[in-house]
Amino acid sequence: MRFTHSMLGAAALAALSLGATTALAAPASAAPNTTPQKVCGTGYKTVNSAAVGSLGTVYLAYNASNGNNCVVTIRNNPGTAVDMSAWIYVPDTNEGDSDYGRYTSYAGPSYVIGKGYCVDWGGGIDNTYVQVTGSNCASLTEHRTTHTR
């Protein structure tokens, strides 16, 4: 999927602040011990993470064999389905992927080829979301923003 950075941010903000979902997929099962590796698949290793308030964590994982990044948002306490999201965007290639919906345990996985590029990524749970920009860019400093609506 192709995204522009402003469209991706606007979509994330709109979906979370209005309580709307852009996907009405069946809720993910509340599997115990859900990890980014289980959700993303074989070969993915967690390279970064960001807390979504006290509700859970957004994980950025990378697969060195194929150059793909994966983002998944995992709740600390699975339960009743709530609005959740996981997204990733590569500004240099204008490529991105996202998953928005009502889920019981996790949102994602969202994938993008990111080998050699900085990535922007984030996710949300209920009314709290986090955005990380300029991430995994060697010596450059990333920027993190967490919002509660």
Side-chain angles (χ1 to χ4, degrees):
M1 299 173 74
R2 293 192 152 258
F3 292 96
T4 64
H5 185 61
S6 60
M7 285 177 33
L8 188 59
L13 179 60
L16 293 170
S17 66
L18 297 176
T21 59
T22 57
L24 297 175
S29 65
N33 301 319
T34 300
T35 66
Q37 290 72 29
K38 287 181 181 178
V39 177
C40 293
T42 303
Y44 284 88
K45 305 290 184 205
T46 300
V47 295
N48 210 331
S49 64
V52 183
S54 62
L55 302 174
T57 305
V58 182
Y59 296 92
L60 174 65
Y62 181 70
N63 185 324
S65 67
N66 62 19
N68 280 342
N69 285 297
C70 174
V71 173
V72 61
T73 302
I74 301 175
R75 288 172 64 178
N76 289 338
N77 298 302
T80 304
V82 297
D83 289 338
M84 293 184 69
S85 62
W87 61 269
I88 186 164
Y89 174 72
V90 179
D92 287 345
T93 64
N94 200 33
E95 294 291 329
D97 189 26
S98 63
D99 179 35
Y100 298 93
R102 294 184 60 80
Y103 300 113
T104 60
S105 181
Y106 64 88
S110 296
Y111 298 98
V112 70
I113 295 173
K115 184 176 183 175
Y117 297 107
C118 299
V119 294
D120 297 347
W121 54 279
I125 302 170
D126 203 12
N127 65 348
T128 303
Y129 64 97
V130 63
Q131 174 177 308
V132 181
T133 56
S135 179
N136 296 63
C137 300
S139 64
L140 297 179
T141 303
E142 68 185 22
H143 179 72
R144 292 176 181 234
T145 306
T146 302
H147 295 278
T148 302
R149 301 256 180 220

